[in-house]
Amino acid sequence: MTVERISVDLDRDWLSVADICDYMGVSTFVVTRMLRSGALPGIKMGREWRVARRDFEDWLNAERFRSAGRGD
């Protein structure tokens, strides 16, 4: 089974928690929890988290490939 790589079509290099929530259709609680735990790579600038678009793409694809390997 071949899994095609996901490409995030957002026009900025750095994504906010809100950007990721909108893209994934999840709550800010979910994204913030993943950032705090280190599961999703990001940096905190003051009170705001930012995630590099490329890091988000890499994370999405790694999670997708991991799920595909488990048969989920």
Side-chain angles (χ1 to χ4, degrees):
M1 177 170 140
T2 303
V3 179
E4 190 173 323
R5 183 172 167 78
I6 296 170
S7 178
V8 176
D9 293 327
L10 296 173
D11 63 349
R12 48 192 157 285
D13 292 330
W14 290 94
L15 306 176
S16 68
V17 170
D19 293 331
I20 295 169
C21 290
D22 289 343
Y23 186 84
M24 297 294 295
V26 297
S27 72
T28 58
F29 175 77
V30 171
V31 175
T32 303
R33 184 181 64 209
M34 294 177 75
L35 287 163
R36 286 183 179 152
S37 73
L40 177 60
I43 60 170
K44 195 164 186 185
M45 299 178 70
R47 293 179 156 191
E48 302 289 325
W49 283 97
R50 292 292 182 262
V51 177
R53 183 177 38 81
R54 181 64 187 195
D55 288 347
F56 181 54
E57 286 178 353
D58 291 346
W59 176 83
L60 275 176
N61 284 291
E63 291 298 311
R64 188 171 185 211
F65 294 140
R66 185 181 0 256
S67 292
R70 288 193 317 239
D72 290 352

